[in-house]
Amino acid sequence: MKKLLLLTIFSLFLFASCNSTKEQEDKKDTYVIDNYIKKEVNIAMRDGTKLHTTIYSPKNTSNKYPILMQRTPYSSAPYGEGKMKTKIAPNVHLMKEGNIVVYQDVRGRWMSEGVYDNMRAYIPNKTAQQSDEVSDTYDTIDWLVKNVANNNGNVGTWGISYPGHYATVSTIDAHPALKAASPQASIGDFFFDDFHHNGAFLLSYFRAISLFGTYKDTPTDSAWYSFPKMDSKDQYQFFLDKGPLKNLNEYFQYDKLDVKTAENKDRIDDFFWKEITEHPNYDSVWQSKGIIQHLDKVPATVATMVVAGEFDAEDLYGPLETYKAIEKHAKDNYNTLVFGPWDHGKWARNTVENYVGNYYFGDSISLKFQKDIETKFFNHFLKGNGDKNSGLPEAYVFDSGKKEWKSYDVWPPKSVVKEDWFLSENQELTPTKKATEKINFISDIKRPVPYSEDIKTVFTPRKYMTDDQRFAARRPDVLVFETAILTEDFTLAGDILAKLKVATTGSAADWIVKVIDVHPDNVEETNDKLQDHLKMSNYHLMVRSEVLRGRFRNSFENPEPFIPNKKTAVNIKLQDVFHTFKKGHKLQIQVQSTWFPLIDLNPQTYVDNIYKADEKDFKTQTHTVFTDSSIEFSVLK
């Protein structure tokens, strides 16, 4: 059961290092056990807490090696003498050419002592006995370089998703031995990554809550949490039937996980769910847990390579904001961005064909990254002279429309200009503003717009990021605006700002904006991974999308209601893209107010805390979008 739970976690989140292909697994790859020795130690932190650390050292002791370290909340298993991972290091090249590879269970997780704090806050001015993840990383590196034989004194950190967050953490007030860090799909702030998007709760993450919020205060090599049992294959209907968010509390009463009713519906045992429900706004709790605002403390001695997936449903905000913050504050640092056509962590896989959901982007994209970019980065800064002449570009980015890599010396590129395109009448997206008119639609809380047409129950969402959006375009509560057929290529490179002018008959509303590449009718049908009910002909590829909970339109800290029927400005920042809308395609914008159950239902009447809203608070409303609304694109010239 323990092994099954671990495999489930790692496969669902893709937070482990390189995944083996099925062929390699069938061969029972013995490279690690043949070429490495494993040692498990408990390293004492400055406050006395001991963190469980697993060290893989090359059997060949004739050389000195760098240390590559990953700190993780997802277990450094397998534990025990003679039990070893089949793959270590960021990729197979770094594994086979020789590095000391270290995995550590962070404080309060698995075999480490202490109590876990989700996105534990950084303490800027610590006393001698205070600790945080920054000091835990520093203390670990200090012990490793002093106690692990045959190390060359250089340390690199890496990780994907939550381990990527810990790689970011390692760069702050960094140990002098840390020379290179690669935060990949790194969490930057839990109010904008993973569980929230601009204040809206990612209801589709419901089953992942207990993974982070089940209390533990003693080391264990077995899972101490259980996942909520939904007893449904249809998540849309499941959450619709459940109603208000407070009705989910019973799933976080851990002696009653499988019951349909609970004696005290308000009781919450899960400390993460309690944190979410008690802190609906971007208050001091969430602000203290963010790491982006502390990236002015990255010394020039640490080189960084930030990796992001252009279609990462889980952590897109984090890596992009990490790269930009280091770039802003650390002018003398080596800082590079890799932005590729991947979903969450897929660059660490060994598959040849590169698909995200239904959409194919090319072959050997991840393999090329591992060999030519990631390996080169770590080797230069951990084994080479470590100067800024790494041979790598400042920004290595993939045009997801042309399906080709480009290199730039700055991101976004210098030749980008801002252009406003207007949401005009007759479903037109126009480069100039026409008459200002109203377009109304009814937002029915009993029939919210689904985020996917698939019938499914997922652990965390992924595939929807490239899903065909025709099903949404054909609903009356989704407004569509699109260009004429393009007569020349149109490339977006950078962020997108939706500048909506809206109104509602209610006092609360969410606003969702999607940027879509409408393919030609005569596109060639060569995609053998496409779902049976779809065709590439007229495929509506979602290029970027985002939600803003309308109450936060002016401040994430201080929400405010809408005044019914009053025209109001709502600006929504969409994360960076690099995409060419090719000649013969169309650029489409969709605007809607529900996105279910990707995000939770907004009651559409203002309440102080949506997590405590009652059934009576939920009301169908009529929303208005005015045609002087516009989308500000970053256009590559």
Side-chain angles (χ1 to χ4, degrees):
M1 179 60 70
K2 177 182 70 177
K3 290 182 179 179
L4 178 60
L5 282 167
L6 284 171
L7 287 170
T8 300
I9 296 164
F10 289 164
S11 62
L12 286 168
F13 279 90
L14 200 69
F15 293 139
S17 52
C18 301
N19 292 325
S20 300
T21 64
K22 186 177 186 304
E23 181 181 359
Q24 289 170 324
E25 290 171 347
D26 290 342
K27 290 180 179 178
K28 303 295 183 185
D29 195 334
T30 62
Y31 187 88
V32 176
I33 201 167
D34 291 341
N35 292 277
Y36 284 85
I37 58 172
K38 187 187 86 166
K39 183 179 181 180
E40 295 180 54
V41 298
N42 293 310
I43 302 175
M45 301 294 102
R46 62 189 63 183
D47 65 351
T49 302
K50 294 179 180 178
L51 304 188
H52 190 84
T53 310
T54 302
I55 304 164
Y56 291 86
S57 299
K59 289 181 178 179
N60 180 357
T61 58
S62 62
N63 299 317
K64 290 188 179 296
Y65 303 97
I67 297 172
L68 281 168
M69 181 176 73
Q70 179 180 110
R71 303 184 66 241
T72 178
Y74 299 116
S75 176
S76 58
Y79 303 106
E81 186 176 352
K83 297 178 180 178
M84 301 175 75
K85 294 179 181 291
T86 57
K87 295 291 179 185
I88 60 173
N91 63 55
V92 67
H93 309 288
L94 290 165
M95 176 182 76
K96 290 191 174 181
E97 65 184 36
N99 286 283
I100 297 166
V101 183
V102 175
Y103 296 89
Q104 183 179 76
D105 295 336
V106 298
R107 181 180 295 248
R109 300 292 288 187
W110 298 92
M111 289 295 287
S112 285
E113 295 179 350
V115 175
Y116 180 65
D117 185 357
N118 210 12
M119 291 290 285
R120 189 173 167 208
Y122 165 67
I123 305 172
N125 300 300
K126 289 180 281 292
T127 65
Q129 294 303 312
Q130 281 183 308
S131 62
D132 55 16
E133 298 301 342
V134 168
S135 66
D136 283 357
T137 309
Y138 189 103
D139 294 349
T140 299
I141 291 175
D142 195 64
W143 189 94
L144 291 171
V145 295
K146 291 176 180 176
N147 292 278
V148 176
N150 299 313
N151 83 80
N152 71 357
N154 294 335
V155 178
T157 56
W158 97 99
I160 296 171
S161 198
Y162 221 140
H165 165 74
Y166 292 115
T168 305
V169 165
S170 73
T171 68
I172 297 171
D173 301 335
H175 191 282
L178 183 69
K179 304 300 183 186
S182 184
Q184 303 181 4
S186 49
I187 302 166
D189 191 312
F190 260 167
F191 206 72
F192 304 98
D193 279 310
D194 283 305
F195 293 91
H196 300 90
H197 275 215
N198 291 328
F201 174 60
L202 268 288
L203 184 57
S204 49
Y205 277 67
F206 161 71
R207 293 188 63 221
I209 297 288
S210 61
L211 179 62
F212 299 98
T214 306
Y215 184 82
K216 176 183 83 71
D217 60 3
T218 55
T220 179
D221 64 356
S222 301
W224 63 98
Y225 49 82
S226 299
F227 298 127
K229 189 176 180 182
M230 294 173 64
D231 290 327
S232 175
K233 301 295 184 183
D234 185 344
Q235 61 184 10
Y236 183 98
Q237 196 63 44
F238 172 84
F239 287 115
L240 203 60
D241 291 344
K242 281 295 177 184
L245 285 173
K246 68 178 186 178
N247 293 342
L248 298 178
N249 289 349
E250 64 186 15
Y251 289 93
F252 303 106
Q253 299 175 354
Y254 288 141
D255 58 344
K256 301 185 178 212
L257 268 180
D258 297 331
V259 300
K260 294 182 179 179
T261 60
E263 293 176 7
N264 180 1
K265 289 182 178 293
D266 295 326
R267 194 185 103 222
I268 298 172
D269 296 330
D270 188 289
F271 64 81
F272 185 39
W273 181 242
K274 189 174 184 64
E275 192 169 57
I276 289 172
T277 58
E278 294 294 336
H279 299 276
N281 307 325
Y282 192 51
D283 59 16
S284 59
V285 169
W286 297 116
Q287 291 176 33
S288 70
K289 292 172 178 288
I291 204 69
I292 304 298
Q293 62 267 41
H294 301 298
L295 293 177
D296 58 345
K297 303 174 182 67
V298 180
T301 51
V302 180
T304 48
M305 182 181 71
V306 179
V307 182
E310 292 171 331
F311 300 96
D312 188 341
E314 296 176 35
D315 299 298
L316 184 60
Y317 170 90
L320 290 173
E321 293 302 313
T322 295
Y323 166 77
K324 291 175 182 178
I326 295 174
E327 199 69 13
K328 175 183 176 181
H329 296 295
K331 301 295 186 183
D332 296 327
N333 290 47
Y334 180 96
N335 180 37
T336 190
L337 171 69
V338 180
F339 196 30
W342 298 300
D343 61 17
H344 194 60
K346 190 169 281 186
W347 51 88
R349 290 189 177 180
N350 296 335
T351 50
V352 173
E353 293 180 321
N354 199 119
Y355 283 87
V356 177
N358 287 299
Y359 207 82
Y360 170 72
F361 289 102
D363 284 350
S364 303
I365 294 173
S366 299
L367 300 176
K368 176 180 172 63
F369 160 74
Q370 293 168 30
K371 180 181 178 183
D372 297 339
I373 305 297
E374 187 175 46
T375 299
K376 191 172 186 177
F377 169 78
F378 280 116
N379 282 348
H380 179 76
F381 290 102
L382 301 182
K383 295 179 180 179
N385 62 22
D387 64 14
K388 292 186 178 181
N389 299 315
S390 66
L392 297 173
E394 165 78 12
Y396 189 57
V397 292
F398 190 87
D399 185 326
S400 53
K402 287 186 175 179
K403 301 182 182 179
E404 62 186 24
W405 287 101
K406 293 287 186 180
S407 297
Y408 294 100
D409 57 6
V410 64
W411 181 261
K414 293 176 183 176
S415 56
V416 162
V417 298
K418 300 292 187 180
E419 291 185 4
D420 281 310
W421 286 66
F422 290 86
L423 309 184
S424 298
E425 279 193 296
N426 300 318
Q427 298 189 332
E428 291 183 336
L429 182 66
T430 60
T432 57
K433 183 170 65 173
K434 298 186 177 182
T436 300
E437 304 289 347
K438 297 179 180 180
I439 305 175
N440 299 327
F441 67 95
I442 296 172
S443 181
D444 186 345
I445 58 163
K446 298 296 186 183
R447 296 183 65 250
V449 180
Y451 79 97
S452 171
E453 61 182 338
D454 296 345
I455 304 301
K456 60 186 177 183
T457 300
V458 296
F459 196 70
T460 56
R462 288 192 182 177
K463 171 183 161 293
Y464 83 95
M465 292 288 282
T466 59
D467 266 356
D468 182 21
Q469 296 299 307
R470 272 174 286 200
F471 76 95
R474 294 165 180 171
R475 285 182 58 115
D477 48 0
V478 177
L479 303 186
V480 174
F481 308 88
E482 66 182 21
T483 64
I485 296 174
L486 297 173
T487 57
E488 58 184 29
D489 290 353
F490 185 71
T491 302
L492 304 185
D495 62 9
I496 298 167
L497 181 64
K499 298 186 283 192
L500 302 184
K501 305 293 194 300
V502 301
T504 175
T505 55
S507 52
D510 293 335
W511 300 96
I512 296 102
V513 173
K514 298 185 288 192
V515 180
I516 293 160
D517 183 341
V518 180
H519 289 42
D521 290 331
N522 61 354
V523 68
E524 191 176 358
E525 299 283 353
T526 59
N527 187 346
D528 60 0
K529 295 291 196 304
L530 201 65
Q531 288 175 279
D532 290 341
H533 67 284
L534 293 175
K535 297 293 181 185
M536 287 307 299
S537 174
N538 195 38
Y539 193 91
H540 284 36
L541 171 68
M542 191 164 74
V543 174
R544 185 61 74 237
S545 56
E546 193 53 278
V547 57
L548 177 72
R549 180 134 286 170
R551 62 175 54 212
F552 298 118
R553 64 193 179 278
N554 295 320
S555 168
F556 289 110
E557 295 92 338
N558 301 300
E560 56 190 288
F562 286 92
I563 297 174
N565 300 310
K566 181 180 179 181
K567 185 177 182 179
T568 306
V570 174
N571 292 336
I572 308 172
K573 180 188 174 186
L574 284 71
Q575 300 300 332
D576 292 23
V577 299
F578 186 38
H579 186 87
T580 294
F581 296 79
K582 296 170 71 174
K583 176 181 176 180
H585 291 224
K586 292 185 287 187
L587 194 164
Q588 183 184 97
I589 299 295
Q590 292 183 7
V591 179
Q592 60 199 65
S593 193
T594 51
W595 212 13
F596 194 75
L598 183 69
I599 61 169
D600 64 309
L601 266 184
N602 192 315
Q604 303 191 140
T605 54
Y606 188 86
V607 293
D608 288 334
N609 186 339
I610 290 179
Y611 299 97
K612 299 182 180 181
D614 295 317
E615 191 81 44
K616 63 180 174 57
D617 297 318
F618 290 77
K619 291 182 170 61
T620 292
Q621 304 289 358
T622 297
H623 300 327
T624 300
V625 173
F626 294 86
T627 57
D628 55 344
S629 300
S630 64
I631 310 295
E632 182 185 271
F633 293 122
S634 301
V635 182
L636 185 66
K637 295 294 186 179

